[in-house]
Amino acid sequence: MRTAEFDRETVLRNAMQAFMTYGYNKTSMPKLTEVTGLHPGSIYCAFKNKKGLLLAAIDQYQADRRVHYQKLFENSTSLRCALERFLQDLVGECLGDESKKVCLLTKTLNEIGEQDADIQTALSTNLSQFESLIRQQFLIAWPDSEALSEDEATKRARFFIMSVYGIRTYAATQCDSSHLNALADRLLEVSV
Amino acid sequence: MRTAEFDRETVLRNAMQAFMTYGYNKTSMPKLTEVTGLHPGSIYCAFKNKKGLLLAAIDQYQADRRVHYQKLFENSTSLRCALERFLQDLVGECLGDESKKVCLLTKTLNEIGEQDADIQTALSTNLSQFESLIRQQFLIAWPDSEALSEDEATKRARFFIMSVYGIRTYAATQCDSSHLNALADRLLEVSV
DNA sequence: GTTTAACTTGAATAATGATTCAAGAATCCC
DNA sequence: GGGATTCTTGAATCATTATTCAAGTTAAAC
């Protein structure tokens, strides 16, 4: 017997960052050995192949995101407050460094979603989990806000999520702080 | 002297379709020779290299889009009518075949925009042209609608475009006709 | 302390990638 | 029709890719 020398979560976060920066196809195995510190053989032993490493990184990404948003939503006093925090965080990420500008899920979906069923399934699953997370915020009976019907909450959450994708893409086209804030403000207005 | 045997526009449209279907990195030169009918040497002679072919395809894409939307907007009687047509067309594309589901500009930006300055410039230029095209619709003093200030038109057009990106991405996550139509309807409501 | 199973190493492999180039073919101009 | 110019051809080249594997190393178990 022998225990693995590397820390799985660290390896996955490094791989994840590389995938977000360069995209799946342009993240070569040499690059992955470099950023993870693992030799090819170890990667193939632990994750089967490059695609397996991507799938594991996607799961890690989603787990990290869930924690991040649960913290972000803690102690919100109203739907408006929760969405405001979310949007501020989003705009901050869009203006931040390369590796946080993009969402691993949508970036990967855009790049290779149509070409691989396993990856498409993994991404769809994780993206609808993300949609649920937002939908829950719309469904909470806030002390300071009126309650929404299930149907209305679903529709509004969907529009919100769709616009979040839009803001991320818009930020890729032109990274202007005032434009992004204006878009976020407007989205908040039409959502709440 | 000798005239070229191939039709440049046809070649570019075929290349464009391949780039939209497979993405830049996964559209190999063998694939490009297949879809364009040109031999490697001819491609390198006419477009310098693979990147040059992409840049030319981007220009052709934008030229085609401009014509498409000018036709689409012809004889609109109000802003609402123009946007309605645009959104119907958009949802139709999202539900249609692979090569029309995506926008070459945003797809390429997502995949390799950060990695190549020339491509980023070309995409930014074309995307802001597209934004202008939509902005013009908001600025027209329609017979049936009230006029907007320049500033208000710019802001609304920007939010609209951002949401169009969002709808395209959302369609990639789940291609549900009723969801897409509901998103389009809501976008129309908050835009006009 | 020896065994044993598991992890690590990194060079070798085989496939695929973009790009070049020299030879051949076709058209225009005089 | 002859020459000049340009386009076409496609095999060869060189770089890069993902993946494998056999040898080496480590630590837990008895």
Side-chain angles (χ1 to χ4, degrees):
Chain A
M1 298 274 187
R2 186 182 166 190
T3 51
E5 287 177 11
F6 65 89
D7 178 48
R8 191 183 160 92
E9 291 195 5
T10 305
V11 162
L12 288 179
R13 291 203 185 97
N14 289 335
M16 174 196 309
Q17 223 166 38
F19 285 136
M20 286 193 278
T21 306
Y22 308 107
Y24 180 74
N25 286 312
K26 270 290 170 195
T27 306
S28 64
M29 285 303 298
K31 187 101 216 162
L32 284 169
T33 63
E34 182 193 327
V35 300
T36 60
L38 296 184
H39 292 250
S42 299
I43 293 181
Y44 281 80
C45 178
F47 304 103
K48 186 172 184 191
N49 52 26
K50 187 184 168 187
K51 178 174 144 185
L53 178 55
L54 173 69
L55 290 170
I58 286 172
D59 284 344
Q60 185 63 48
Y61 179 81
Q62 186 66 354
D64 289 353
R65 287 264 109 179
R66 208 196 316 268
V67 170
H68 177 74
Y69 286 124
Q70 265 158 4
K71 264 189 204 149
L72 193 78
F73 287 141
E74 247 173 24
N75 307 323
S76 296
T77 55
S78 65
L79 175 59
R80 189 187 177 86
C81 167
L83 297 184
E84 215 162 3
R85 287 184 191 175
F86 182 94
L87 289 171
Q88 253 175 7
D89 182 68
L90 174 70
V91 171
E93 283 186 346
C94 289
L95 295 170
D97 61 302
E98 292 305 315
S99 68
K100 289 203 166 179
K101 260 186 194 171
V102 297
C103 165
L104 177 62
L105 305 184
T106 52
K107 170 140 185 158
T108 308
L109 190 71
N110 247 289
E111 189 184 348
I112 50 171
E114 304 286 338
Q115 290 155 54
D116 188 295
D118 294 337
I119 294 173
Q120 186 158 40
T121 304
L123 290 171
S124 291
T125 305
N126 282 318
L127 280 164
S128 56
Q129 274 176 27
F130 177 56
E131 195 170 315
S132 291
L133 200 84
I134 299 299
R135 188 167 162 274
Q136 273 169 28
Q137 297 300 311
F138 279 83
L139 271 172
I140 293 176
W142 303 94
D144 299 6
S145 323
E146 55 163 348
L148 288 174
S149 74
E150 283 231 357
D151 204 54
E152 183 63 19
T154 302
K155 277 177 69 176
R156 287 207 207 174
R158 191 173 291 142
F159 189 86
F160 185 81
I161 287 289
M162 176 278 279
S163 301
V164 169
Y165 298 155
I167 288 178
R168 274 235 144 86
T169 302
Y170 192 91
T173 71
Q174 44 177 133
C175 206
D176 181 308
S177 169
S178 65
H179 289 181
L180 293 182
N181 279 308
L183 288 172
D185 288 349
R186 181 90 183 106
L187 177 56
L188 187 64
E189 274 174 48
V190 304
S191 296
V192 76
Chain B
M1 299 274 190
R2 186 180 165 190
T3 52
E5 286 177 11
F6 64 88
D7 178 48
R8 192 183 159 93
E9 291 195 4
T10 305
V11 162
L12 288 178
R13 291 204 184 97
N14 289 334
M16 175 195 308
Q17 222 165 39
F19 285 136
M20 287 194 277
T21 307
Y22 307 108
Y24 179 73
N25 286 313
K26 271 289 168 195
T27 306
S28 64
M29 284 302 299
K31 186 100 215 163
L32 285 169
T33 62
E34 183 193 325
V35 301
T36 61
L38 296 185
H39 292 253
S42 299
I43 294 181
Y44 281 80
C45 177
F47 305 103
K48 186 170 184 190
N49 52 25
K50 187 183 168 187
K51 179 173 142 185
L53 179 55
L54 173 70
L55 291 171
I58 286 172
D59 283 344
Q60 185 64 49
Y61 179 80
Q62 186 66 352
D64 288 353
R65 288 263 111 178
R66 206 197 316 269
V67 170
H68 177 74
Y69 287 125
Q70 265 159 3
K71 265 189 204 149
L72 193 77
F73 288 142
E74 246 172 26
N75 306 325
S76 296
T77 55
S78 66
L79 175 59
R80 189 185 177 87
C81 167
L83 297 184
E84 214 163 4
R85 286 184 191 176
F86 182 94
L87 288 171
Q88 253 174 6
D89 182 68
L90 175 71
V91 171
E93 282 186 346
C94 289
L95 295 170
D97 60 304
E98 293 305 316
S99 69
K100 288 204 166 180
K101 260 186 193 170
V102 297
C103 164
L104 176 63
L105 306 183
T106 52
K107 169 139 187 159
T108 307
L109 190 71
N110 248 289
E111 189 184 348
I112 50 170
E114 304 287 336
Q115 291 156 53
D116 188 295
D118 294 337
I119 293 173
Q120 187 158 41
T121 304
L123 291 171
S124 291
T125 305
N126 282 318
L127 280 164
S128 57
Q129 274 176 27
F130 178 55
E131 194 171 315
S132 290
L133 200 83
I134 299 298
R135 188 167 163 274
Q136 274 169 27
Q137 297 301 310
F138 279 83
L139 272 172
I140 292 176
W142 302 95
D144 301 6
S145 325
E146 54 163 350
L148 289 173
S149 73
E150 284 231 356
D151 204 55
E152 183 64 19
T154 303
K155 278 176 70 178
R156 288 209 206 172
R158 193 174 288 142
F159 189 86
F160 186 81
I161 287 290
M162 176 279 278
S163 301
V164 169
Y165 298 155
I167 288 178
R168 274 235 145 86
T169 302
Y170 192 90
T173 72
Q174 42 177 136
C175 206
D176 181 308
S177 168
S178 65
H179 290 182
L180 292 183
N181 279 308
L183 288 172
D185 288 349
R186 181 92 183 103
L187 177 56
L188 186 64
E189 274 174 48
V190 305
S191 296
V192 77

